[in-house]
Every structure is written in C-alpha cells, then in structure tokens.
Amino acid sequence: MEGDSVTLNTGVQTNQQDRIKWYYNDTRIAQINRDQSKICTDVQCNNDTERFRDRLKLDHQTGSLTITDTRNTDSGVYKLKIISSSTYSDKIFSVSVTDVSAAEREVKRKEGESVTLYTGVIKNTNYFIMWDFNNTLIAEINGDQSKICTDVQCDERLRDRLKLDHQTGSLIIMNTRNTDSGEYKLQISNRRFSII
C-alpha cells in the first residue's frame, strides 16, 4: 500500500559476498561492496536520478534493500545481482504498490454481468493466492494447482460461476447476483511476504 515500507531480502550476509547491486527496471539504484568502501543509493549511484530520493535504505549486514514511504510509481521489477569471487546470482522481485482507494475499491455491477477482481500482479509459481468471500475461502492457487470451492463450502451461492485467471490469480465472477454482494479479500503470499 502507498506509504508503507517494503524490504527486499537478499538472503545472504555481505561478508560472504564481493558486491551486491540493486536495479529498478534495469537502472542501478543501490550497491554495496564487500569492504563497504563504496555504498551508494539512488542519487549517489546515478546522477540525476531522484525517483527514490531519501527513501532507500541498505542493510549493511545483508545488503537487503528497504523502500520507505512507497508510492504507486515504485511498482515494477527489482533485480538483485550478487557477485562473489566464485559465484554470480540474480534474484528478481516484482513489487506492486497500490493506493488505499484502489485497494479498498467498491465494484458495482448489474445483476447478470460479470466482474473481475484483479490482483494487480503477474502470478509467480512461488505465490500462494487465496480469495475469501465474507470470510469463507472460495478460491486458491498454490503453484500450478488451483482450487475453487465446492458447493457445500460456497452454500451454492457461487456454484459454477467462479473462474481464476491463472496468469494473474484474478477472480472472475460470472452472471452476478444480488447475493454476491459483500467483502472479497485477496491474500498473496510466498516465503518472504504476505499481502492482504
């Protein structure tokens, strides 16, 4: 959500690595050297780049990157490059920042129309996605496996009218009815984070 902080974890200790570099959409935004003689963030790494001005923090022990006071313009792909004398590895993080009004949006449809509730992400096979309707689990995706609730679980209200978009995890409700009104909650999680 806008205004929150997010930490992208390296999963390493900097004393075990030579260099750690962070990129946002292929522009270097942060770097730390093994001896920490050169630590830069945003403006120090790139002249005239002020997108993250004073909002990036590097953990000197792990090289993890924290973005404070997030904005929806911070959404995008972050790439981590870890370089040591014997190995080289990459990690990619997809960050989606939503403003409060978009996250708590009210969707209105006429009966009989379809509605899609968007996740705002491209599904990664490591993501676990769950949809609840009025605190009842109605759909989930875990890796390549997906499940839509049974008639008993849904009290037959949503029977044969739910679909999941396997690229994004978005939920599609077809042939909407008045009884479909209520609160739908989305939870996206993996080993490193959980978003509701």
Side-chain angles (χ1 to χ4, degrees):
M1 301 285 271
E2 278 194 327
D4 289 346
S5 293
V6 62
T7 299
L8 308 177
N9 294 304
T10 62
V12 300
Q13 293 293 316
T14 55
N15 61 0
Q16 300 165 350
Q17 311 303 319
D18 287 334
R19 281 180 290 169
I20 293 175
K21 294 182 180 183
W22 284 98
Y23 294 84
Y24 171 72
N25 293 338
D26 296 323
T27 300
R28 188 181 63 183
I29 57 170
Q31 171 179 309
I32 188 168
N33 283 356
R34 183 179 195 167
D35 62 4
Q36 298 185 5
S37 61
K38 182 174 182 188
I39 298 171
C40 65
T41 58
D42 199 33
V43 177
Q44 296 98 10
C45 289
N46 299 288
N47 293 333
D48 302 324
T49 302
E50 299 196 15
R51 172 185 293 275
F52 298 102
R53 188 184 240 339
D54 301 324
R55 297 187 301 116
L56 295 180
K57 308 245 182 293
L58 268 175
D59 183 311
H60 298 271
Q61 298 297 311
T62 65
S64 295
L65 181 69
T66 299
I67 307 162
T68 61
D69 190 24
T70 57
R71 303 169 185 164
N72 62 3
T73 55
D74 298 338
S75 298
V77 175
Y78 291 78
K79 186 181 280 188
L80 164 66
K81 292 186 180 189
I82 302 173
I83 306 160
S84 70
S85 55
S86 59
T87 60
Y88 173 88
S89 64
D90 279 347
K91 284 186 181 181
I92 295 177
F93 299 82
S94 178
V95 174
S96 179
V97 181
T98 317
D99 64 23
V100 174
S101 61
E104 295 183 53
R105 184 177 318 169
E106 183 174 326
V107 179
K108 294 182 181 182
R109 291 289 186 271
K110 291 182 181 177
E111 278 194 310
E113 294 180 341
S114 292
V115 63
T116 302
L117 305 177
Y118 294 99
T119 61
V121 299
I122 299 297
K123 191 182 83 58
N124 178 308
T125 54
N126 296 326
Y127 286 179
F128 180 64
I129 296 174
M130 292 188 329
W131 284 98
D132 286 356
F133 172 58
N134 291 338
N135 295 317
T136 300
L137 178 67
I138 58 172
E140 66 183 6
I141 299 177
N142 190 358
D144 293 332
Q145 303 291 318
S146 67
K147 184 169 105 179
I148 295 178
C149 65
T150 64
D151 295 345
V152 175
Q153 293 167 322
C154 288
D155 298 326
E156 298 190 21
R157 283 183 290 191
L158 297 166
R159 181 179 10 161
D160 299 326
R161 296 186 300 116
L162 294 179
K163 282 188 181 177
L164 281 169
D165 181 322
H166 291 278
Q167 295 297 313
T168 64
S170 297
L171 181 69
I172 302 146
I173 307 165
M174 300 168 294
N175 191 23
T176 56
R177 300 176 186 162
N178 194 21
T179 55
D180 299 338
S181 296
E183 185 175 82
Y184 292 82
K185 283 188 184 174
L186 164 67
Q187 180 173 347
I188 303 173
S189 58
N190 72 10
R191 295 186 321 224
R192 295 185 293 258
F193 67 85
S194 181
I195 302 169
I196 297 177

